[in-house]
Amino acid sequence: MDETGSTVATSFSPGRYVLGLREVDQGQISVVGGKGAHLGELSRIEGIDVPPGCCVTTEAFRRVMADAPSFEDRLDQLSQLDPDDRDAIGALSAEIRGVVSGIAIPDDLAAVITAQLAELGENTACAVRSSATAEDLPTASFAGQQDTYLNVVGPAAILEHIKLCWASLFTERAVTYRLRNGFDHRKVHMAVVVQQMVSPEVSGVLFTADPVTSNRKITSVEASFGLGEALVSGLVNADVYEVRDGEVVDKAIATKQLAIQAAPGGGTQQRAIEPDRQQQPTLTDAQAVLLAQLGRRIEAHFGQPQDIEWCLVDGGFQIVQSRPITTLFPIPATEERGNRVYLSVGHQQMMTDAMKPLGLSVWQLTTPRPMAEAGGRLFVDVTERLAARTSRDGLLELMGKSDPLMRDAMQTVLDRGDFLPPPAEDVAAEPPVGGGPEPIETDPAIVDELIASNQASLAAVERDIRAHRGADLFDFILEDLEELKRHLFSPRGHQAIMAGMEAAWWLNDRMHEWLGEDNAADALTQSVPHNVTSEMGLALLDVADAIRPHPEVIAFLRDVADEDFLEELPALAGGREARDAIRAYLDQYGMRCVGEIDITRPRWSERPSALVPVILGNIENFEPGASRRRFEQGKQEAQQKEQELLERLRALPDGERKADETKAMIDRLRTFTGFREYPKYGMISRYAIYKRALLDEAERLVRAGVIGDAEDIFYLRFQELHEVVRTGEVDHHLIRRRKGEFNAYQALTPPRVLTSDGEAIAGSYRRQDAPPGALLGLPVSTGTVEGRARVVLEMTDADLDADDILVTAYTDPSWSPVFVTIKGLVTEVGGTMTHGAVIAREYGLPTVVGVANATRLLQDGQRIRVNGTSGYVEILS
């Protein structure tokens, strides 16, 4: 067969079409697919028994597909489908499967396959397994996407089932998986593994890392009687053995009523297990330990945790598959020895998405503390602080106020007693960045001065950066990052922020003690001055006011599909006013976006269409002047709450003193709370300036032919990019590899707390104060509301009404424009002083954060009740 797929008799080579398993290694995925490559590699490991067999290669698949009528045209159609259009995918994939399964295998190819099968024995029963080239990869398992056929007897039947395996490359689930994960249908080919069938007494799955906790030191063995298909198909419950350090540390013996066995004439059949054997253990402890040892040997060979299928045959174990476990969160690389405990930075920053390398490196250049990287996220190593009694209590107390789940997870580690190193009594409690919280007078001029200083610094960098290009630009940015940190971690700014936070804590504690009132500070922080994030949300109401009188503009905005719409607006009646209003907003807030701590994420100024759904929602849900009324209403409610509290306090014994102290703390709260949002605003503003300059350099690299796309620079760290600009040379393989890694990292969920064993510890709320069935969380903005749950994962999908309660994974400052519409908020991530919580309190939104799996447990459209005072969510309908 030549490159065009036509048959050329002189080129026929049997080795191109069929390979024995022992001829195959893991470097031949393109020839024998993922499953075949792994089986071939397994057969080479000393002490690992693999049933004999062969691989029908992808070359055979391509040869046969070359003769399939209109095959290429159908692949073109398949690539154009929407992954959510199940009907279209189902119809076209069924059509392709029919074509593939109906093709006759050429005689010469059939002869080569049957000759190889003869080495197994002419009528030997075989397992016929699909093995795609995009399967069992380190970053995508494709598990269960293609078909396997067991106990296939005779050459004719095996040839037919090989075709069925080829056809299974186009099952609806496989096609959808590829569409969702960006795999090109043309570049995925199918090999087929044909192995001697084994009839095991027991079979199952072995994970060399605990599939529940991700602990790499625990091997989990699942076992059932008969063939493993009963287990993987969910027909039976498995016995589960956990092995650590050469012994079974836990096991659960299930009641096993069924087994699947090979049928005498081919195929499989179910068999009832005798009652007296149903609760009999499938394995002895010694066998489970031996399996774990085999698993560790396989894991060491492949260099990463494995998901292994095994069979117990005549007292010995045979391995029928091994694939990488792709769902484990990576462990941070470290030079530190011994056990380590890491806290997620993303859960504190309300941005748990994976970050690209440039974003990670710029953030690390910004932060004053070293951070570890894993899975495209950042973590802080708190091992020594948690181990030492002198610093432990302060760390736990801080986390308890910020994120109780993180605190509980750390306590779980402590309670084990033997994980952390011996306490280091010389580890002092770590002071906050920028110095300790020294007293600061309650003076609004302090905040005015801090903001003015930051604004002047931003104007200077925006002016001065224009004079720098090439390698010199990077030196300028590195120098300016020190200026950024001077403002971000200013001792005076830190004092102001801590003054507001401590005032809130004081008010909540004293009002609970003196008046029995919980979360009193929440109402008092409504409409505070100088909160740049809440002002950003209200300002978009003013943009809606500018557009509302112009129906032609509104109609145009409903169909916006690209980022050039601002240039098209002046052609419409009222379009110039609309454009100017949006541009003015972008001039002030265009540096923001979802996930903004990652400098590579597209800013609103780059993608203004992200704001259009929110603007349209504001036009629909509000009357003119809503921004001013909303702010004044919050201010009045705060004043009324203040008066109410002071009057109640004065009625108490020693009431005048208590009222005077409370009044002073309320003034302090309202003076400094708004500034909490400003340092990050200044940082993100600087990031936007840096990014524009770096993208200008990227465009020059594109024009010079150094890189193919400007956004390739996002996959280089800052210093690497500096070197590329200096030398004009780049490692294209590195960029491609990092793109693949980033795509894999996006699918992972980062844990709040991660150990060096790879264990992801979620933590739990140890409370009994919620109704049965309620979802527990952290109360951060008081009040109780009922409404329609709107589960929204992307801000651009936020089609919200005034009766809605937003349910999402996290909210960073970019989400604040939608806060003006909703009546309540539920998030999976967050703490009392994270940005979403601060803005929720200012807007008076009852809010519960830290609700584990909220976006999966709550359904869009359900009626729910959010108790932002006690911290739980009830499902009403």
Side-chain angles (χ1 to χ4, degrees), residues 387-390 422-428:
R389 296 188 182 93
T390 51
E425 297 300 341
D426 58 341
V427 176

Side-chain angles (χ1 to χ4, degrees), residues 758-836:
E759 184 177 6
I761 308 177
S764 62
Y765 294 104
R766 303 182 188 277
R767 296 162 33 195
Q768 304 294 327
D769 60 344
L775 308 182
L776 298 180
L778 177 66
V780 297
S781 184
T782 195
T784 300
V785 291
E786 295 180 11
R788 179 179 63 163
R790 294 308 309 271
V791 180
V792 181
L793 300 182
E794 299 287 344
M795 196 188 88
T796 51
D797 297 330
D799 181 13
L800 299 164
D801 294 329
D803 186 50
D804 289 342
I805 296 171
L806 174 62
V807 180
T808 191
Y810 65 81
T811 58
D812 62 8
S814 69
W815 283 79
S816 66
V818 306
F819 282 19
V820 299
T821 303
I822 58 177
K823 66 188 300 187
L825 175 65
V826 178
T827 70
E828 295 179 343
V829 176
T832 54
M833 295 308 297
T834 48
H835 298 274

Side-chain angles (χ1 to χ4, degrees), residues 536 540 543 547 557-566 582 585-586 589-596 601-618 792-800 812-819 821:
M536 176 174 69
L540 207 57
V543 174
I547 296 173
L557 291 177
R558 288 198 175 103
D559 294 323
V560 163
D562 55 46
E563 304 306 331
D564 297 328
F565 72 94
L566 289 176
I582 295 173
Y585 185 87
L586 291 172
Y589 304 109
M591 78 294 292
R592 311 219 79 148
C593 67
V594 174
E596 61 192 7
R601 297 287 282 262
R603 312 284 130 177
W604 288 343
S605 57
E606 298 171 81
R607 293 188 185 172
S609 64
L611 295 172
V612 170
V614 187
I615 294 171
L616 292 173
N618 288 346
V792 181
L793 300 182
E794 299 287 344
M795 196 188 88
T796 51
D797 297 330
D799 181 13
L800 299 164
D812 62 8
S814 69
W815 283 79
S816 66
V818 306
F819 282 19
T821 303

Side-chain angles (χ1 to χ4, degrees), residues 819-874:
F819 282 19
V820 299
T821 303
I822 58 177
K823 66 188 300 187
L825 175 65
V826 178
T827 70
E828 295 179 343
V829 176
T832 54
M833 295 308 297
T834 48
H835 298 274
V838 171
I839 305 307
R841 288 193 289 271
E842 178 154 348
Y843 285 169
L845 295 175
T847 299
V848 181
V849 302
V851 181
N853 300 313
T855 59
R856 291 191 286 273
L857 296 175
L858 297 173
Q859 297 178 10
D860 190 67
Q862 280 183 320
R863 193 84 180 165
I864 64 173
R865 179 185 296 127
V866 175
N867 189 317
T869 303
S870 299
Y872 58 81
V873 181
E874 296 174 89

Side-chain angles (χ1 to χ4, degrees), residues 402-461:
S402 173
D403 188 331
L405 291 177
M406 198 170 277
R407 185 205 186 284
D408 186 74
M410 287 192 291
Q411 188 64 54
T412 298
V413 175
L414 285 170
D415 291 345
R416 291 173 180 169
D418 61 352
F419 185 82
L420 292 171
E425 297 300 341
D426 58 341
V427 176
E430 190 170 342
V433 175
E438 297 177 5
I440 185 173
E441 63 273 27
T442 303
D443 183 357
I446 294 173
V447 176
D448 292 334
E449 291 167 6
L450 287 167
I451 292 175
S453 173
N454 204 319
Q455 286 293 319
S457 179
L458 282 171
V461 68

Side-chain angles (χ1 to χ4, degrees), residues 112 221 277 341 507 656 664 774 842:
V112 172
V221 178
R277 293 187 63 221
V341 180
L507 286 163
E656 286 298 329
E842 178 154 348

Side-chain angles (χ1 to χ4, degrees), residues 18-28 32-45 48-57 116 119-120 127 129 131 191-197 318-321:
V18 184
L19 294 171
L21 278 182
R22 291 187 176 276
E23 299 179 76
V24 173
D25 61 38
Q26 62 183 339
Q28 294 174 275
V32 296
K35 189 175 281 132
H38 277 79
L39 280 168
E41 192 71 27
L42 280 168
S43 67
R44 294 164 174 260
I45 304 175
I48 301 299
D49 292 328
V50 177
C54 63
C55 294
V56 180
T57 70
Q116 185 76 38
E119 296 184 12
L120 300 177
R129 302 175 183 271
S131 181
V192 179
V193 176
V194 182
Q195 272 183 292
Q196 181 178 307
M197 184 73 186
Q318 297 208 23
I319 305 301
V320 295
Q321 187 53 271

